[in-house]
Amino acid sequence: QVQLVESGGGLVQAGGSLRLTCAASGRTFSSYAMGWFRQAPGKEREFVAVISWRGGTNYADSVQGRFTISRDNAKNTVYLQMNSLKPEDTAVYYCAAATKAFARASTEDFGSWGQGTQVTVSS
């Protein structure tokens, strides 16, 4: 089991930027994929981005070109840099640890979740 703690959420105007951080502990961080998901009020949790153990990335179409996922294995940390934010990006953002080195854009591939951090983008 791995423990995940997100930080960095907040209120930002449209067009602004935020960087989310997820600190992991409890398992060999570098061995598995990490991901970010989000959930807006009244909607299902949706995939945002994933990074494999070797650094390969995949993004949802809605954030491609605006968001960047990265990881620092020495610090057991994964980041989500969010630029050109839009009001529709407003959601609770969750960090997740996959059960394997690679993961699909699906909650099914992730076994551990953080508590979430709120991101609100005003128009």
Side-chain angles (χ1 to χ4, degrees):
Q1 191 73 6
V2 60
Q3 291 76 46
L4 304 170
V5 178
E6 302 102 330
S7 61
L11 173 64
V12 64
Q13 289 187 333
S17 298
L18 283 173
R19 188 176 82 156
L20 305 184
T21 299
C22 174
S25 62
R27 201 172 77 185
T28 305
F29 177 78
S30 60
S31 300
Y32 48 90
M34 296 291 295
W36 288 95
F37 290 76
R38 67 187 181 187
Q39 188 166 17
K43 296 186 177 182
E44 293 186 353
R45 191 168 298 188
E46 66 174 4
F47 167 77
V48 175
V50 63
I51 185 167
S52 74
W53 70 290
R54 291 189 298 185
T57 58
N58 186 32
Y59 297 92
D61 290 343
S62 59
V63 307
Q64 180 75 47
R66 300 188 297 122
F67 290 13
T68 302
I69 187 171
S70 61
R71 64 191 299 161
D72 186 337
N73 289 337
K75 296 182 178 180
N76 287 1
T77 302
V78 63
Y79 306 96
L80 185 68
Q81 178 66 44
M82 305 185 295
N83 298 329
S84 302
L85 282 162
K86 305 175 181 179
E88 51 264 43
D89 294 319
T90 296
V92 177
Y93 283 70
Y94 296 91
C95 175
T99 56
K100 299 179 180 180
F102 298 92
R104 299 167 298 167
S106 170
T107 58
E108 296 179 354
D109 284 5
F110 294 84
S112 299
W113 296 83
Q115 82 287 352
T117 184
Q118 177 70 47
V119 171
T120 302
V121 184
S122 63
S123 57

